[in-house]
Amino acid sequence: MIGKGSVNHNTRAFTAKNVDKNRSADNVEFRQEDIKQVYHKLFDEALERYNAKQKRKDRVIDNYYEKIKRGKQEKLFHEVIFQIGNKDDMNAKSEDGLLAKRILTKFMDEFQARNPNLYVFSAHLHMDEETPHLHIDFVPYITASKRGLDTRVSLKSALAEEGFTGGTRGATELNQWIASEKQELATVMERYGVEWLQKGTHEKHLSVLEFEKKERAREVAELDSQKREISSVVAQLGEEVSVKKQELKNATTEKELAEEATQRAKEEGAVAQQEKEVLLASNQDLRMENARLESRKDRLRMDNHDLKQKQLQLQTDNEELEQRHEDLQYTNSKLENMNDQLFADNHTLEQRNDSLKSDNQVLRQKYNDLQQNNVQLEKQQNELKSHIEQMVQSEQLLQRDVRKYDEAPEWQLPEPGAFASAKSFRDKVVMPFVNKLKSLIKNLTIQCVRLKEEVLQLRKEKKRLSDDVEFYKGKIRDMSDRTELLQEKADDLERVKRYAGAEQIDTIIRKVKEQERTEQQIRRYGRSYGER
């Protein structure tokens, strides 16, 4: 669109309501020059040449900037605004908005070379509004003008020199140029994979009568502009006719003076002839010098051609480097995000590592305790084996004692005598022997019950010791598993160090530890202060 040309708005000298100040730092300033200094740079030499030709003081121009500012034919400068998409599909806060920024930057880099007659003195890319857009302010000018200043302000002529000649009333130089620049922007967009969806203009939604009214108003405005320009030309031609009349009058007077000078010239002819001969000799030297300069000029042209080729190559290389720079910036952004994630993961790993170290110390202590308990269990097991062996020996002794009852004479029942009665044999021999057997059986029963209880107690103790052994074996296996997990985490940390750099990871760990120590000191200070 055609902009109003507010330099204060473009440079953010003041901030409008639709501007997000927090994103103003993302704006890009391609160029910003003082427009008055630009006018001095472009037109001061032409202004001096123009004023030197004037013989009337009222035609002398003191300040070309003020003349254009007060005049109605030309504007001091023009502004165009370029934008891709809208806030819904190219929002400045989205990835597509950043893509639009890169496209508009590339478009701006090629703008001045493509439009040499449009001097860009202010160009700003705004990222702090809803959609990225580019403000370009320029002064249109032409050189080798045949009227007025030989270098002067003219939008129509500047665009004509760039190949945009007026056609129909709707296809003015400005409209043709804007359509061409849109196409140039579409070409840049295609390099980045963005297609131009041409939706047309808003005029197609107007009624036929309203559209015709608008077209007639535009044509009337153009005719008024052409009328003012023609009137200005007519007035300037009138001034030039007056000047020519005055020059003719002056020429008549100069003719009379010239006749008098002719006589003097004849007298001076002889002297001039001599000077001519000297000048001819000098002219010969000048021709030789001129030939030498022409040869040097040809060499400079060849050098200039080579420099242009190198410049084109450098431009191509610069474009490739810019593309590579953009790719590196994108890759750097991904690496920074990855680094942040690695930092967070490393902090988590450090915390887990500290926790695992603490658990490892506890497990080592438990492992040492288990080894001591294992030694104690082995002692108890050895004692149990010794006790069992003693029991086996007791059993062997018992069996040996039992065999003695079969063979010992005192445990044999004697045969009754020939004259002994049954009652007498029973009372004197059998009953004492039976009572002795009863006493023996009672003692043996008591001893058997006691031994059985001891066996049961020993079995329970053995089972308890076996269960303890299995429990501590499980503890040892858990400790081994956690030790392997701890080693795996330590290996992961080493992999992170190799990937991100050991020095960077060590620096991060040192900073995190310092921060944790600082936080601990703050908490201790807070607790001590709360206790007071």
Side-chain angles (χ1 to χ4, degrees):
M1 68 178 69
I2 303 299
K4 296 180 180 179
S6 175
V7 177
N8 289 332
H9 170 78
N10 296 346
T11 58
R12 292 295 184 255
F14 74 89
T15 304
K17 294 181 179 179
N18 62 331
V19 173
D20 185 0
K21 292 182 180 180
N22 295 326
R23 292 188 285 115
S24 295
D26 297 332
N27 294 344
V28 180
E29 182 181 278
F30 297 101
R31 184 174 298 177
Q32 181 58 46
E33 298 180 46
D34 181 72
I35 187 171
K36 292 184 179 180
Q37 297 300 322
V38 171
Y39 265 69
H40 285 305
K41 179 166 64 176
L42 293 177
F43 307 113
D44 274 2
E45 294 181 1
L47 183 61
E48 289 179 3
R49 291 191 293 270
Y50 174 83
N51 289 334
K53 296 178 182 178
Q54 305 307 315
K55 297 182 179 180
R56 292 172 49 184
K57 292 184 177 180
D58 59 336
R59 298 195 62 188
V60 174
I61 301 174
D62 295 329
N63 191 317
Y64 190 63
Y65 174 87
E66 294 296 333
K67 180 180 184 303
I68 298 299
K69 183 179 180 180
R70 292 193 299 268
K72 297 182 179 180
Q73 293 183 7
E74 297 288 345
K75 295 176 62 176
L76 280 172
F77 68 95
H78 297 263
E79 180 181 271
V80 287
I81 304 173
F82 295 91
Q83 175 177 311
I84 304 171
N86 54 44
K87 65 182 180 62
D88 296 323
D89 50 25
M90 282 289 185
N91 194 281
K93 293 181 285 187
S94 67
E95 290 292 331
D96 291 331
L98 296 177
L99 177 60
K101 179 180 180 180
R102 291 196 294 271
I103 295 173
L104 291 173
T105 299
K106 188 64 177 178
F107 173 79
M108 181 60 213
D109 291 341
E110 302 170 351
F111 183 89
Q112 186 66 85
R114 190 170 56 251
N115 298 281
N117 292 92
L118 308 179
Y119 186 92
V120 178
F121 68 94
S122 176
H124 296 81
L125 176 59
H126 288 165
M127 296 294 294
D128 53 2
E129 298 181 40
E130 287 294 331
T131 309
H133 57 277
L134 176 64
H135 293 261
I136 304 177
D137 298 321
F138 60 88
V139 177
Y141 71 100
I142 58 170
T143 57
S145 175
K146 295 182 179 179
R147 62 182 182 86
L149 276 68
D150 53 10
T151 300
R152 63 184 178 87
V153 176
S154 176
L155 177 62
K156 183 176 181 179
S157 300
L159 295 177
E161 286 193 4
E162 294 186 6
F164 301 98
T165 56
T168 62
R169 291 177 179 177
T172 62
E173 292 87 351
L174 179 60
N175 290 341
Q176 292 179 24
W177 174 73
I178 289 177
S180 176
E181 288 300 310
K182 286 183 179 180
Q183 189 59 49
E184 291 293 337
L185 179 57
T187 302
V188 179
M189 289 159 55
E190 288 179 356
R191 299 180 201 169
Y192 291 83
V194 180
E195 184 180 359
W196 180 14
L197 178 62
Q198 301 187 35
K199 295 184 177 181
T201 61
H202 295 288
E203 280 77 9
K204 65 188 293 184
H205 301 293
L206 301 174
S207 66
V208 176
L209 180 59
E210 290 174 343
F211 182 78
E212 291 293 333
K213 287 180 179 179
K214 188 170 183 179
E215 287 296 313
R216 297 293 82 76
R218 184 184 297 111
E219 292 172 0
V220 169
E222 292 177 358
L223 290 174
D224 288 340
S225 176
Q226 295 176 4
K227 180 180 178 182
R228 286 194 298 271
E229 185 173 356
I230 292 171
S231 298
S232 175
V233 173
V234 170
Q236 188 171 0
L237 290 174
E239 292 178 357
E240 292 179 356
V241 168
S242 300
V243 171
K244 295 297 181 182
K245 288 181 179 179
Q246 182 64 33
E247 291 177 351
L248 181 59
K249 184 178 179 181
N250 294 336
T252 304
T253 303
E254 291 174 356
K255 182 180 179 181
E256 295 175 355
L257 296 174
E259 291 176 353
E260 296 177 358
T262 302
Q263 185 63 31
R264 290 195 301 272
K266 288 179 180 180
E267 297 174 355
E268 297 173 355
V271 178
Q273 184 64 29
Q274 296 176 356
E275 293 177 352
K276 180 179 180 181
E277 294 175 357
V278 176
L279 289 173
L280 286 174
S282 300
N283 189 32
Q284 183 64 26
D285 296 335
L286 289 174
R287 286 179 181 176
M288 294 176 64
E289 181 67 19
N290 186 44
R292 187 178 64 81
L293 291 175
E294 286 292 332
S295 176
R296 185 180 179 187
K297 183 178 180 182
D298 292 337
R299 289 197 303 272
L300 290 175
R301 284 177 179 173
M302 293 178 64
D303 294 340
N304 186 39
H305 178 72
D306 294 338
L307 289 173
K308 286 184 178 179
Q309 294 295 328
K310 290 181 180 180
Q311 184 180 8
L312 292 175
Q313 184 62 36
L314 288 173
Q315 287 179 350
T316 303
D317 295 341
N318 186 41
E319 291 177 357
E320 293 177 356
L321 289 173
E322 287 178 352
Q323 182 64 38
R324 186 177 179 185
H325 178 66
E326 292 175 357
D327 296 337
L328 288 174
Q329 284 182 332
Y330 179 73
T331 304
N332 186 44
S333 177
K334 291 177 64 178
L335 288 175
E336 288 179 352
N337 294 333
M338 186 181 295
N339 186 38
D340 294 339
Q341 184 63 37
L342 287 173
F343 176 78
D345 294 342
N346 181 63
H347 182 65
T348 304
L349 286 174
E350 284 294 325
Q351 292 179 343
R352 294 182 65 182
N353 188 27
D354 293 338
S355 177
L356 289 173
K357 286 181 179 179
S358 177
D359 294 342
N360 188 31
Q361 292 177 355
V362 174
L363 289 173
R364 287 184 182 277
Q365 183 63 38
K366 289 183 177 180
Y367 179 75
N368 294 331
D369 295 340
L370 287 174
Q371 286 184 333
Q372 295 178 0
N373 292 334
N374 191 29
V375 172
Q376 187 67 27
L377 287 173
E378 289 179 354
K379 291 181 179 179
Q380 293 179 0
Q381 189 174 7
N382 292 330
E383 293 176 357
L384 181 61
K385 288 181 179 179
S386 176
H387 197 179
I388 291 173
E389 291 176 355
Q390 292 177 1
M391 290 180 64
V392 171
Q393 293 177 359
S394 299
E395 183 179 1
Q396 293 175 353
L397 292 174
L398 179 62
Q399 290 177 356
R400 189 182 62 186
D401 293 338
V402 169
R403 285 196 300 271
K404 113 180 149 175
Y405 296 133
D406 294 333
E407 300 173 356
E410 62 269 21
W411 294 101
Q412 303 299 321
L413 186 65
E415 293 293 333
F419 299 102
S421 63
K423 182 177 183 302
S424 174
F425 183 75
R426 172 181 178 277
D427 294 336
K428 293 181 179 181
V429 177
V430 173
M431 289 306 297
F433 185 75
V434 169
N435 291 332
K436 185 178 179 180
L437 286 174
K438 286 181 180 180
S439 176
L440 178 62
I441 290 170
K442 183 188 294 183
N443 293 332
L444 289 174
T445 301
I446 294 171
Q447 186 176 2
C448 183
V449 171
R450 185 175 67 254
L451 290 174
K452 186 176 181 179
E453 289 178 354
E454 290 180 358
V455 169
L456 291 176
Q457 292 294 328
L458 289 174
R459 286 178 179 176
K460 290 180 180 179
E461 182 67 18
K462 181 180 179 181
K463 185 177 182 307
R464 184 183 66 79
L465 293 176
S466 299
D467 293 340
D468 290 343
V469 169
E470 292 298 325
F471 173 76
Y472 289 119
K473 285 183 179 179
K475 287 289 185 178
I476 292 172
R477 286 194 296 271
D478 293 339
M479 184 179 68
S480 299
D481 294 338
R482 298 194 67 177
T483 302
E484 291 177 359
L485 179 61
L486 179 62
Q487 184 62 41
E488 182 179 356
K489 295 300 180 181
D491 293 339
D492 291 340
L493 180 60
E494 290 299 324
R495 295 187 184 99
V496 172
K497 286 185 177 180
R498 287 196 299 271
Y499 179 81
E503 294 181 358
Q504 185 176 1
I505 296 300
D506 292 338
T507 302
I508 293 172
I509 293 172
R510 186 173 63 256
K511 290 183 178 180
V512 172
K513 288 183 177 179
E514 291 177 355
Q515 183 178 359
E516 291 176 351
R517 285 196 295 271
T518 303
E519 292 176 353
Q520 290 176 358
Q521 291 176 357
I522 292 173
R523 287 195 295 269
R524 286 199 298 269
Y525 177 78
R527 288 196 297 268
S528 61
Y529 183 79
E531 292 174 357
R532 293 179 183 178

